[in-house]
Amino acid sequence: MTRFSAFISALAFATALSAQTSVGNKTVNVGESVRYSTLISFRGSGVSGISILKLKEENMLVGALINEFGIKAMDFTYNCKKGKAKLVNVISFLDKWYIRKVVQADLAFMLKTTESTTTKRRVLTVEDDGSIDLQNKKYNINYHLIPITEDATKE
Amino acid sequence: MVVMHMACMAQKAATPAEQKSMIEKVETTAASIKSMQCDFVQEKTLSLLNDKMTSKGVMFYRKPNQLRWEYLSPYTYTFIFNDTKVLLKSSQKKDVIDVRSSQLFQEIARIMMNSVTGKCLSDKSNFAVTMYKAGDEWTAKLVPQKKNMKQMFSTIILHINPKEGVVNKVEMTEKTGDSTVILLKNIVKNGKIDDKVFSIH
């Protein structure tokens, strides 16, 4: 009986874990979303706005980067189990195969890593306040995400 | 998107002569706008996330190239476009960007400034315009003509107050079907705006 209870508890714990994921140091449950003020800069150019990441279903994180006026720069999916990101829609200015390839790989790296990490190609910094900075050293692309906390004035 | 198109169709398309005079009225107003400020409510529909995002804030515009777009709710976030520089300011940090090399920043800021002032009705190289009228509202349906713009939007619909000749609602529909509706309220034209409002320092 004790063994059976322990098994059920372990199963419940495993199920609960798969129904959540981490973005930086934030935990996101199924149906929940997190928002970041975002700046992606590359070779003197850039795109800014608000990123929304939502755990749509178990192991499936979906996200979008929307500029300040509501125009979507890109949206993407991230399979938490496989650690793979896929850009779904990308604004025309950025919609080049080589940009897609690099951004997808950077997003996957960012979303599967929850602590500050340095590799040959990338430097990821996760701050205590939840900010995420990713530098792609090879292509000189910087991703700068600052968590947005909803104000008490929310209506 | 379907609802937006149906709303347009429910209105009567203007005759060519009416369209000309309506556009002239908006152009005259747009030309007279040296500055503008208003409150806004922005509603974004995201199909992939199955989510709707509503934000509120204030907007300040000053000719020719100054725009402050400030979210006040549900979070605070400010975007200031001042000639060649952009300031992005959240409650925690700020970033300044030089936009001279960023086609995207310039293009999007230009579309927004031209949409809220109504100047894009005379931008024939970028948009095919059809005017509609119903009761006390005019509607302009703008269909992008250039490749880059077409890839960004399928239509932009401007709702115009005919008495004032000013835009009070902007509906942007993307190629993916996602839409953004921006409602402009308490519009003040040519009021004095402090230089600090557009300061990027």
Side-chain angles (χ1 to χ4, degrees):
Chain A
M1 185 64 186
T2 313
R3 274 188 194 173
F4 181 71
S5 298
F7 173 73
I8 294 296
S9 300
L11 194 65
F13 182 64
T15 307
L17 278 185
S18 67
Q20 61 177 213
T21 191
S22 295
V23 177
N25 61 10
K26 288 182 181 290
T27 301
V28 188
N29 294 306
V30 169
E32 285 180 356
S33 59
V34 282
R35 293 176 188 192
Y36 293 88
S37 153
T38 303
L39 173 63
I40 304 176
S41 51
F42 43 93
R43 293 174 188 166
S45 187
V47 55
S48 71
I50 310 290
S51 290
I52 308 170
L53 294 104
K54 181 178 183 179
L55 190 60
K56 197 172 181 182
E57 55 194 69
E58 201 175 307
N59 292 319
M60 184 54 71
L61 191 71
V62 293
L65 170 59
I66 302 153
N67 100 323
E68 291 74 11
F69 313 113
I71 300 165
K72 192 172 62 194
M74 63 178 78
D75 50 21
F76 59 89
T77 59
Y78 173 70
N79 186 316
C80 311
K81 208 169 181 180
K82 293 181 181 169
K84 286 201 170 174
K86 187 181 176 191
L87 294 181
V88 184
N89 298 295
V90 185
I91 201 162
S92 58
F93 298 100
L94 301 172
D95 198 10
K96 312 277 187 274
W97 69 267
Y98 47 90
I99 296 179
R100 277 178 173 263
K101 195 179 162 191
V102 174
V103 173
Q104 281 176 173
D106 288 343
L107 280 174
F109 184 83
M110 190 192 300
L111 293 170
K112 72 179 153 200
T113 317
T114 55
E115 294 174 344
S116 297
T117 312
T118 301
T119 65
K120 196 176 166 188
R121 283 192 176 185
R122 299 177 179 93
V123 179
L124 179 81
T125 311
V126 181
E127 306 276 2
D128 290 343
D129 66 359
S131 299
I132 303 169
D133 275 297
L134 174 66
Q135 184 195 357
N136 181 319
K137 292 189 277 186
K138 186 175 178 186
Y139 295 104
N140 196 19
I141 306 173
N142 291 289
Y143 303 75
H144 188 45
L145 285 81
I146 302 165
I148 293 175
T149 38
E150 297 200 355
D151 295 342
T153 52
K154 184 184 172 182
E155 288 172 32
Chain B
M1 189 165 82
V2 175
V3 175
M4 286 183 201
H5 285 291
M6 281 173 67
C8 255
M9 279 187 244
Q11 296 184 323
K12 194 178 149 209
T15 64
E18 284 172 331
Q19 170 147 336
K20 189 168 175 274
S21 103
M22 290 158 90
I23 292 177
E24 275 172 8
K25 165 119 193 190
V26 180
E27 278 175 353
T28 307
T29 307
S32 75
I33 294 176
K34 292 182 177 64
S35 72
M36 186 174 153
Q37 60 194 81
C38 66
D39 300 327
F40 69 81
V41 179
Q42 181 178 304
E43 191 174 271
K44 175 80 192 167
T45 308
L46 290 157
S47 51
L48 187 67
L49 277 81
N50 195 19
D51 221 340
K52 205 175 252 190
M53 206 175 133
T54 304
S55 330
K56 292 178 183 181
V58 287
M59 185 279 285
F60 297 86
Y61 162 77
R62 191 160 65 188
K63 237 178 187 172
N65 271 328
Q66 292 176 312
L67 179 73
R68 181 187 180 105
W69 198 268
E70 182 176 3
Y71 293 102
L72 300 173
S73 157
Y75 44 78
T76 49
Y77 179 82
T78 308
F79 171 97
I80 299 173
F81 180 82
N82 192 339
D83 198 22
T84 59
K85 295 268 192 328
V86 163
L87 169 72
L88 310 168
K89 191 168 75 177
S90 68
S91 53
Q92 286 158 287
K93 285 181 187 169
K94 52 182 178 178
D95 284 299
V96 178
I97 303 156
D98 191 318
V99 294
R100 276 173 288 197
S101 55
S102 176
Q103 189 191 2
L104 185 65
F105 270 111
Q106 292 183 40
E107 191 72 3
I108 291 173
R110 191 180 62 80
I111 292 168
M112 284 315 296
M113 289 189 280
N114 289 351
S115 296
V116 296
T117 56
K119 267 166 78 179
C120 53
L121 291 192
S122 45
D123 186 359
K124 292 188 179 103
S125 63
N126 278 313
F127 299 106
V129 180
T130 312
M131 299 295 296
Y132 298 84
K133 57 179 187 175
D136 57 355
E137 190 183 71
W138 291 349
T139 306
K141 183 179 172 189
L142 286 78
V143 179
Q145 298 299 294
K146 287 189 178 164
K147 193 183 164 195
N148 269 349
M149 201 83 88
K150 276 185 191 171
Q151 286 171 334
M152 218 163 8
F153 306 106
S154 54
T155 56
I156 297 177
I157 295 172
L158 306 180
H159 295 255
I160 300 155
N161 174 336
K163 278 185 193 159
E164 302 276 334
V166 293
V167 174
N168 52 30
K169 191 173 166 187
V170 181
E171 297 176 17
M172 297 180 285
T173 305
E174 292 164 28
K175 205 177 66 170
T176 58
D178 285 359
S179 64
T180 307
V181 178
I182 302 170
L183 192 64
L184 307 172
K185 297 193 288 189
N186 307 321
I187 299 168
V188 177
K189 286 185 289 180
N190 299 328
K192 188 166 166 44
I193 304 174
D194 196 308
D195 287 347
K196 280 182 194 162
V197 167
F198 303 109
S199 170
I200 52 142
H201 301 294

